């Protein structure tokens, strides 16, 4: 299922060209986060949370990157982010919680045929 990790990776990352509207980013979440994901796919990503556009940039196993503009909402120490992978109808969702250890949570993707993937992720702020 090579397309499932690809779908997750695409959600991470061409924010300058394709910016999504987001809620005001709380200071505790704002910035760049480096992370890894696992489950139905595995790899690394960079999550950018900014008032002028949030995105996730995912690195595929073949070394290519995909960027997905995100719409993000926050409630206390939790975030929910959703986006559509550019060039496809595949949707990506992230749910996470902020703690002293960084951000962590669950991710999922679903394409137009109903094929889905899911897993967990963790991220640390970039110094």
């Amino acid at each position: 299922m090579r397309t499932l990790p690809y779908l997750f990776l695409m959600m991470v990352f061409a924010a300058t060209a394709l910016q999504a509207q987001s809620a005001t980013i709380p200071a505790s979440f704002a910035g760049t986060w480096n992370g890894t994901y696992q489950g139905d796919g595995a790899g690394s990503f960079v999550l950018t949370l900014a008032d002028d556009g949030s995105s996730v940039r995912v690195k595929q196993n073949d070394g290519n990157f995909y960027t997905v503009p995100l719409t993000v909402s926050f409630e206390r120490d939790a975030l929910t982010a959703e986006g559509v992978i550019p060039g496809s109808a595949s949707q990506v969702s992230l749910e996470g919680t902020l703690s002293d250890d960084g951000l962590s949570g669950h991710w999922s993707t679903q394409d137009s045929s109903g094929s889905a993937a899911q897993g967990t992720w963790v991220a640390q702020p970039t110094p």
Side-chain angles (χ1 to χ4, degrees), residues 74-94:
F74 301 90
E75 186 174 327
R76 299 182 194 194
D77 290 337
L79 87 136
T80 301
E82 297 179 343
V84 176
I85 297 169
S88 76
S90 299
Q91 297 188 2
V92 176
S93 298
L94 294 173

Side-chain angles (χ1 to χ4, degrees), residues 41-106:
S44 61
F45 66 92
V46 176
L47 176 65
T48 302
L49 299 171
D51 287 334
D52 62 350
S54 294
S55 66
V56 63
R57 183 170 192 250
V58 180
K59 183 176 183 181
Q60 290 191 132
N61 292 336
D62 63 7
N64 288 321
F65 289 90
Y66 301 91
T67 301
V68 178
L70 298 172
T71 299
V72 185
S73 61
F74 301 90
E75 186 174 327
R76 299 182 194 194
D77 290 337
L79 87 136
T80 301
E82 297 179 343
V84 176
I85 297 169
S88 76
S90 299
Q91 297 188 2
V92 176
S93 298
L94 294 173
E95 294 179 353
T97 304
L98 181 64
S99 70
D100 291 339
D101 296 326
L103 280 170
S104 62
H106 290 52

